Amino acid sequence: MEKTTLIGPFKQIIPMTGLPLKGAIKDSELQIIPDGGILIKDSVIVAIGNFQNLQAEINPEETILLKGNHVCVPGFIDAHTHICFGGSRAKDYAMRNAGKTYLEIAHSGGGIWDTVTQTRMATQEELTKNTIKRANRHLKNGTTTIEVKSGYGLTVEEELKMLRAIKNANCSTLPDLIPTCLAAHMLPKDFLGTETAYLAEIAEGLFPILKAEKLANRIDAFIEESAFSSKDIKAYFEKATKMGFDITVHADQFTPGGSKVAVDHNAVSADHLEASTENEVVLLANSTTIAVALPGASIGLGCDFTPARKLLDAGGSLAIASDHNPGSAPMGDLLTQASILGTFQKLTNAEVLAGITYRAAAALNLSDRGKLAEGLLADFGVFHSDNYQDILYNQGNLKPCMVWKDGNLVYDKHK
Ligand code: NIG
Ligand code: FE
């Protein structure tokens, strides 16, 4: 049995508890524990409260005393990334800034297809190595759970290579990697058949192996004029649902339509939504599907932000993720992007923090993280400050000085 460890005192702990899953949140609703302590045992939190009281009442076997001012928040959860890939798309970025659009580049054979070509050339081991490197960088920025999509393989074998690489990376990285199968990213240019035929082949050939090898519990699709339509995807999503997979959708990125597909198929999340109109906002707000804003894609492509304010005011639930990928979102810095979305969309600190903690956990259907409370995973980030507002105020430039994952100190800036 591991010993109990008390960590603190923190000037402020922001546990993100007692807040709603849906709708707007005022900063005054945020609970702040002053002079707080966190008691952990094994990988979970066993108590949280006033440091001195915990010390007196519990008499922990070990105490880690912090000197100076520290603020503690739940480990960030990045609910949408594509960090398993080969190669680079620096030339796409240059071409876009010189006037070509994302879709023009895609139509001329670049874009996602370019990364598919480069990812197919990489070995599984190389993909594992790349994924570990990127995941460890995210960890230092306070992200303790990272969703990672396939979708640059686009054959049964190549998708398996990606998902096995992600599974192996998960064994060697400190953050938890949550895999998602995105074989429905685009119709591969070398597939001789229709969208429906491709999806049928993937569902039949890949889905059972995902279950057997425990490679992914989540199925994603890109619903867009350049990718798949609601008609194409119906049977695919129905089969996935029948087999017990969670559904998630790349929705309304350039044209509206995907969020309706997400809601119709009871998706856990609808991600992107840059092109969502009033109709889609209302549809999502009245559903159980979490809206996921991807400000990194707006910054990467130079396009509109997701209407996050409208989604929250309509009563929707909003998570914020980095979409870290080689094409549309090469930056991969969740905290910076979430802060920027907050300034452009007028989101409160509470709404932004909710979007990268417990609402992001809900987008991944995870109930064991995203808040700091008894029984939940001891995943948290610590910032040198006496005021939690500094975290977003610094727009990503204030990095955590410590990160704890599963009750272990996995990053310490001073070491
Ligand atoms: O989330 N929209 C489609 N998929 C990714 C981009 C992938 C890429 O461009 O490589 C996205 O933005
Ligand atoms: Fe994406």
Side-chain angles (χ1 to χ4, degrees), residues 80 82 89 92 96 102 111-113 115 149 152 182 185 222 250 253-254 272 274 294 297 301 323 325-329:
H80 182 138
H82 308 246
R89 299 246 294 283
D92 283 21
R96 283 200 305 272
Y102 182 80
I112 295 170
W113 186 247
T115 300
K149 299 178 194 297
Y152 293 126
L182 178 57
H185 203 178
F222 187 18
H250 277 69
Q253 185 180 11
F254 302 106
H272 272 293
E274 294 90 333
L294 305 173
L301 298 179
D323 195 21
N325 74 69
S328 59

Side-chain angles (χ1 to χ4, degrees), residues 307-320:
R309 182 71 268 148
K310 284 188 179 158
L311 280 157
L312 288 166
D313 287 344
S317 187
L318 180 88
I320 305 168

Side-chain angles (χ1 to χ4, degrees), residues 1 37 43 138 155 163 166 174 235 297 302 336 353 360 376 380 398 400 409:
M1 283 286 256
S43 57
H138 289 296
T155 64
L163 288 159
I166 297 166
L174 296 161
T336 302
L353 291 174
L376 298 188
F380 47 89
L398 179 66
L409 177 60

Side-chain angles (χ1 to χ4, degrees), residues 156 184 187 191 194-208 228 232-233 235-237 239:
V156 170
L187 179 68
F191 183 82
T194 61
E195 279 80 358
T196 327
Y198 169 70
L199 293 173
E201 190 174 299
I202 292 290
E204 202 183 320
L206 186 59
F207 286 3
F228 296 98
D232 297 333
I233 216 68
Y236 185 76
F237 273 172
K239 175 149 190 180

